[in-house]
């Protein structure tokens, strides 16, 4: 089994913890991780972009000048795309960019991302994370753990840690149910409590 050091909030080593190989030591599959990241980013898109085509722009019903004899290029409408104020060619319209991934693919992608953190030595396990809802306290804890830019995964009922971390620009909190591949890979360090590790192994094993 994969074995990593466990620290307290002061940054002192207090022991080690065994990690489930089926989650934290799988064969890393970069392809499915890429798919998961693309899906996450696509699902974040609002898809509300909209512009008018030449059929939708107001005006331009009359031919601006006669077809021949003027010396100028023939024109049929002042709302053609080449005119200022004209319509847009292949104008973007509201659409849904989201798509689905199979559950097994998403699980494999998350396991690969977690394994990557373990392999890179960027997985930090803390015995507990009990802080007051103060930014200064959370910043001090992360500084002790050498995790300045980190994704901190906390228990569902640990609201104090969420409040304490939300004003730190390079830190994001998540629960076991909301953790995703994009965030795991985006942040330099992944901070988990002992209870969270057990919960992940229970959910994803």
């Amino acid at each position: 089994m994969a074995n990593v050091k466990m620290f307290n909030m002061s940054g002192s080593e207090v022991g080690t913890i065994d990690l489930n190989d089926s989650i934290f030591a799988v064969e890393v599959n970069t392809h499915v991780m890429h798919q998961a990241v693309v899906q996450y980013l696509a699902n974040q898109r609002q898809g509300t972009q909209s512009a008018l085509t030449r059929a939708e722009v107001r005006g331009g019903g009359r031919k601006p000048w006669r077809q021949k004899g003027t010396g100028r290029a023939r024109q049929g409408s002042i709302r053609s795309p080449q005119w200022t104020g004209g319509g847009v060619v292949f104008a973007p319209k509201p659409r849904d960019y989201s798509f689905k991934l199979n559950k097994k693919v998403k699980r494999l992608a998350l396991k690969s991302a977690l394994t990557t953190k373990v392999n890179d030595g960027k997985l930090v396990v803390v015995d507990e994370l009990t802080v007051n809802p103060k930014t200064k306290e959370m910043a001090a804890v992360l500084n002790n753990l050498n995790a300045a830019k980190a994704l901190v995964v906390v228990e569902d009922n640990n609201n104090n840690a969420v409040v304490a971390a939300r004003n730190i620009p390079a830190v994001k909190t998540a629960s076991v149910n909301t953790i995703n591949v994009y965030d795991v890979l985006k942040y330099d360090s992944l901070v988990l409590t002992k209870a969270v590790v057990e919960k992940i192994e229970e959910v994803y094993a």
Side-chain angles (χ1 to χ4, degrees), residues 72-183:
R72 289 179 290 186
R74 56 192 177 189
Q75 300 291 332
S77 169
I78 62 171
R79 294 300 179 235
S80 295
Q82 71 270 23
W83 284 69
T84 300
V88 178
V89 181
F90 306 126
K93 293 296 178 184
R95 54 168 288 197
D96 181 12
Y97 288 92
S98 66
F99 63 94
K100 291 185 177 181
L101 280 182
N102 291 334
K103 188 181 293 185
K104 288 184 178 179
V105 173
K106 293 177 74 172
R107 278 177 173 259
L108 177 59
L110 183 58
K111 290 178 181 180
S112 294
L114 293 172
T115 301
T116 299
K117 287 300 178 187
V118 175
N119 294 344
D120 294 343
K122 297 295 185 179
L123 178 67
V124 181
V125 180
V126 190
D127 56 354
E128 60 179 0
L129 196 58
T130 53
V131 294
N132 292 316
K134 298 288 185 182
T135 304
K136 186 190 298 184
E137 288 192 23
M138 179 61 82
V141 171
L142 294 176
N143 187 52
N144 294 336
L145 297 172
N146 293 320
K149 184 181 180 184
L151 173 66
V152 182
V153 185
V154 297
E155 301 92 335
D156 292 335
N157 58 355
N158 195 349
N159 293 325
N160 283 356
V162 174
V163 174
R166 67 185 176 190
N167 278 339
I168 306 176
V171 174
K172 181 177 180 179
T173 57
S175 66
V176 174
N177 294 330
T178 62
I179 189 173
N180 62 77
V181 176
Y182 176 78
D183 285 335

Side-chain angles (χ1 to χ4, degrees), residues 50-60 79 85-88 90-94:
S50 183
L52 302 181
T53 64
R54 62 179 294 172
E56 297 167 320
V57 181
R58 186 176 178 83
R79 294 300 179 235
V88 178
F90 306 126
K93 293 296 178 184

Side-chain angles (χ1 to χ4, degrees), residues 31-41 101 105-106 109-110 181-182:
H31 175 64
V32 296
M33 284 196 295
H34 176 263
Q35 282 186 310
V37 169
V38 170
Q39 188 219 19
Y40 175 84
L41 294 175
L101 280 182
V105 173
K106 293 177 74 172
L110 183 58
V181 176
Y182 176 78

Side-chain angles (χ1 to χ4, degrees), residues 13 42 106 171 185 194:
E13 185 179 338
K106 293 177 74 172
V171 174
L185 297 177
K194 182 181 178 182

